[in-house]
Amino acid sequence: MTKTLTWELRVLAMCGAICAAPALAEDFTPPDILILGDSQLSFGAGPVFLDFFSNLHENCAMSATQSTQLDQLDQSRVSVIGVRSTSVPSWIATGGRAKDTVCKVDPTWRVNAGSYGYQNTSGNQYVQIGQGAPYQFCAAGQSPLQHMFRDDYYDPSLVVFNFLGNSARRWADSPERAIQDVTEMMAQLPDDQACIFMTTAPAYRQNTVDLRLRAQDNLQAAFDVVGQQCTFVEGATPETIAANLGNASHFRRRANGTVKDPFHPNTAASETFFDLQRGAICDAIFAELDPAPAEPFLVVSTMDESMYDMPVVAVAKVVTAN
C-alpha cells in the first residue's frame, strides 16, 4: 500500500463511529447535477465544487438567454462524490481490482469516499460506496457507471467528471489506452446525457505536473476522437499550474511548514482554481445545455494517481485556448 493511499485512508478513518450511522432512507431522489471524481474531491475540492454548481446564476456572468438555460438545472440538487484512488478505469470496469477501488469495503477504515450536497444528510462527509440509498453503484457483471445510470436510479441533467492523477501514467504512456477508456466510458453513458469532463487541478511538484500534462494531452486527443458527447475542460493550464506549482500554502503541510501531501490541493487552492477556470467551466456548461447558444458566453482563454486495461465508437466539444 502506498504512503499516499495509507494517508488517505487514515484521514477517512477520522469519521469514526459516525460511519456506523444508519443508511439513508430508501426513498431516494437522485441529484440533478452530479460531480463525480477522485480523492481531490474528498480532500479539498468537494465543498468548492458544491458551492460553485449550487450558485451558477451568480458564478457565470450570463446573457438573458443563458440565464434561462441555467433554469434547466435544479441547483438545489447538487451532489459531489469523490472516491479515493479512482479514475475512469475504476468506473467502467465490470470486475477485478479496478472495480474494487469503487466497490470493495476497506477492512480497516470501512469508508472510501467523500460525499457533499443535498443527498448527504448524515452529518458526516465520509461514506462507503454500496452503503446507503445514494451510493448503490455496485452489482455483479456491471461497472459502477453502468449500475449508477440504470433505469429509475441516477438521471442527472448534467454530470461532471473530474479525474486525472490516478491514471496519469497509463494515459501519458499510451494514447491508445486513453482512447480505449474514453470509448468505453462513452458507451456506458446514456445517449442523451449532458456531460463535462474536466481534468483535476495541478500538483505541487514539477515531475508530477509534467506527467499529468502528457496524460491530459492524450486524454484530450481521445475526447477529440471518440468523446464528443462530453465537453472537455483542461484543469492543468499555465495559470492553474503557476498557482499550485511549488506553492506550499495550497497543500497540506507539516508543523514545520513542509508539504506532506503534494497531490491533493487544499480548499484555498480549489477556490483559486475555480477563480481561474470560471470562464472555461461556464462555457462548458452552456455548451452542454445548448450546443449552439444564440448569445455566446464571454470566452475566457484557457491553455492549457495508474491502473488497468476496448474498439472505437462514438465522437468532444472542447473548450479551446484562444
Side-chain angles (χ1 to χ4, degrees):
M1 180 177 290
T2 66
K3 291 182 179 179
T4 300
L5 179 56
T6 302
W7 181 86
E8 290 177 25
L9 292 174
R10 186 175 296 118
V11 175
L12 288 173
M14 292 192 306
C15 69
I18 300 175
C19 296
L24 298 180
E26 294 301 314
D27 54 345
F28 166 61
T29 301
D32 195 56
I33 302 174
L34 172 66
I35 295 93
L36 189 66
D38 59 21
S39 54
Q40 282 210 19
L41 296 180
S42 302
F43 297 114
V48 185
F49 269 88
L50 177 62
D51 179 74
F52 186 90
F53 281 89
S54 297
N55 298 282
L56 290 177
H57 282 93
E58 291 76 22
N59 287 315
C60 293
M62 302 163 297
S63 67
T65 298
Q66 290 166 333
S67 181
T68 300
Q69 287 177 277
L70 287 185
D71 291 339
Q72 300 173 44
L73 301 174
D74 186 344
Q75 294 166 51
S76 68
R77 287 171 48 206
V78 181
S79 288
V80 181
I81 302 172
V83 186
R84 62 163 177 83
S85 301
T86 57
S87 191
V88 172
S90 316
W91 288 90
I92 61 176
T94 58
R97 190 159 63 100
K99 182 180 178 180
D100 284 348
T101 310
V102 177
C103 297
K104 189 174 182 179
V105 179
D106 185 272
T108 303
W109 312 117
R110 314 303 294 175
V111 290
N112 69 345
S115 175
Y116 311 84
Y118 96 101
Q119 72 183 26
N120 186 355
T121 59
S122 68
N124 173 57
Q125 73 185 58
Y126 298 117
V127 302
Q128 171 61 45
I129 299 303
Q131 298 178 5
Y135 313 110
Q136 296 302 308
F137 307 152
C138 303
Q142 286 190 311
S143 73
L145 202 60
Q146 288 170 325
H147 203 53
M148 171 184 280
F149 286 103
R150 67 188 185 270
D151 291 344
D152 301 320
Y153 197 43
Y154 274 66
D155 184 24
S157 295
L158 177 67
V159 60
V160 181
F161 295 101
N162 186 226
F163 293 105
L164 184 62
N166 294 310
S167 281
R169 177 67 63 185
R170 171 184 175 85
W171 292 332
D173 290 348
S174 175
E176 296 77 17
R177 284 186 171 182
I179 290 174
Q180 291 171 359
D181 291 345
V182 174
T183 298
E184 185 61 23
M185 181 182 176
M186 294 301 99
Q188 294 187 14
L189 283 179
D191 291 341
D192 59 350
Q193 178 62 60
C195 165
I196 295 170
F197 192 105
M198 181 167 67
T199 51
T200 48
Y204 176 73
R205 294 175 179 148
Q206 185 70 62
N207 61 341
T208 306
V209 169
D210 291 344
L211 175 69
R212 294 185 181 186
L213 278 172
R214 297 202 309 273
Q216 179 176 265
D217 287 346
N218 287 340
L219 193 61
Q220 178 166 343
F223 273 90
D224 287 342
V225 174
V226 297
Q228 196 166 7
Q229 182 173 343
C230 296
T231 298
F232 186 89
V233 180
E234 298 164 312
T237 72
E239 295 81 6
T240 62
I241 291 170
N244 284 1
L245 187 62
N247 183 355
S249 69
H250 276 190
F251 296 85
R252 291 174 188 79
R253 288 172 287 176
R254 301 179 182 89
N256 65 5
T258 60
V259 170
K260 64 179 179 181
D261 175 15
F263 301 107
H264 301 93
N266 60 24
T267 298
S270 299
E271 290 171 347
T272 298
F273 178 85
F274 270 88
D275 286 342
L276 293 170
Q277 291 295 87
R278 185 181 310 273
I281 296 168
C282 292
D283 284 343
I285 293 168
F286 291 126
E288 285 301 311
L289 296 178
D290 182 353
E295 300 174 57
F297 179 69
L298 175 64
V299 174
V300 175
S301 174
T302 68
M303 295 171 281
D304 306 358
E305 289 183 322
S306 229
M307 258 182 208
Y308 317 91
D309 283 305
M310 301 172 202
V312 176
V313 291
V315 204
K317 301 183 293 290
V318 180
V319 178
T320 57
N322 291 293

